[in-house]
Amino acid sequence: MQTAEVPEPSGEGCEVCGTEMYGLHCKLICPNCGYRRDCSDP
Ligand SMILES: [Zn+2]
């Protein structure tokens, strides 16, 4: 059984480039520019 962590679409756009960000654990990560945001931030 593989337990690879697959980011899930967060439905939120990147603040920098507008690409849909992906959520991994409690982080939002932009696959386009690499911008990341902690999901606890406002
Ligand atoms: Zn971005």
Side-chain angles (χ1 to χ4, degrees):
M1 177 178 176
Q2 289 187 329
T3 55
E5 297 174 341
V6 180
E8 299 179 356
S10 66
E12 293 191 43
C14 174
E15 296 173 16
V16 177
C17 70
T19 300
E20 183 177 14
M21 299 182 76
Y22 282 72
L24 183 61
H25 300 302
C26 201
K27 303 286 186 186
L28 293 176
I29 304 171
C30 173
N32 184 52
C33 72
Y35 176 80
R36 61 184 62 188
R37 195 184 78 189
D38 192 294
C39 68
S40 65
D41 288 347

